Amino acid sequence: QVQLVESGGGLVQPGGSLRLSCVASGSIFSINAMGWYRQASGKERELVAAITSGGITNYLDSVKGRFTISRGNTKNTVYLQMNSLKPEDTAIYYCNADIMPFGAGFRNYWGQGTQVTVSS
């Protein structure tokens, strides 16, 4: 059983920072790309940032220069450092990863989501 578990969300004032973490656990043989999506109330889910196993990153235009995605040394963890947060960053943030479990092919997994609220 493969799981993605996020942590680090919360309430922060505009201009503040938060760091989201996501750990992949279970019977994992390999992990390719990992990323963060977000879904604000009444809006579609959108890709915020992604990182390949080789460290190539891409970002949503509106977060470039403010957010940084990175992976841990063990490669089963992904982080999202969010600085200069704005009210429009308020959303549920979801971890996503392409994972190959032992004895199976690659498939896409989602975490349960963590709420980020930017408000004064």
Side-chain angles (χ1 to χ4, degrees), residues 3 14 16-17 19 22 24 33-34 37 43 46 55-56 73 75 79 81 86 88 93 97 104-105 107 116-117 120:
Q3 283 188 314
S17 298
R19 188 190 195 211
C22 171
M34 302 184 80
Y37 287 71
K43 295 188 177 181
E46 61 182 356
I56 297 172
N73 290 334
K75 304 298 183 184
Y79 304 100
Q81 178 67 43
K86 304 176 181 180
E88 51 263 42
Y93 284 70
R107 59 163 287 192
V116 171
T117 302
S120 55

Side-chain angles (χ1 to χ4, degrees), residues 12-92:
V12 64
Q13 292 187 341
S17 298
L18 282 175
R19 188 190 195 211
L20 305 183
S21 300
C22 171
V23 180
S25 63
S27 183
I28 297 171
F29 179 74
S30 181
I31 303 177
N32 275 348
M34 302 184 80
W36 291 93
Y37 287 71
R38 69 185 181 188
Q39 187 166 20
S41 179
K43 295 188 177 181
E44 293 187 354
R45 191 173 296 191
E46 61 182 356
L47 175 65
V48 176
I51 183 167
T52 67
S53 57
I56 297 172
T57 60
N58 69 286
Y59 295 92
L60 181 68
D61 282 347
S62 62
V63 308
K64 286 180 180 176
R66 300 188 298 122
F67 291 10
T68 302
I69 190 169
S70 62
R71 289 178 73 160
N73 290 334
T74 59
K75 304 298 183 184
N76 70 328
T77 303
V78 64
Y79 304 100
L80 186 67
Q81 178 67 43
M82 304 185 294
N83 299 327
S84 303
L85 282 160
K86 304 176 181 180
E88 51 263 42
D89 295 317
T90 296
I92 299 174

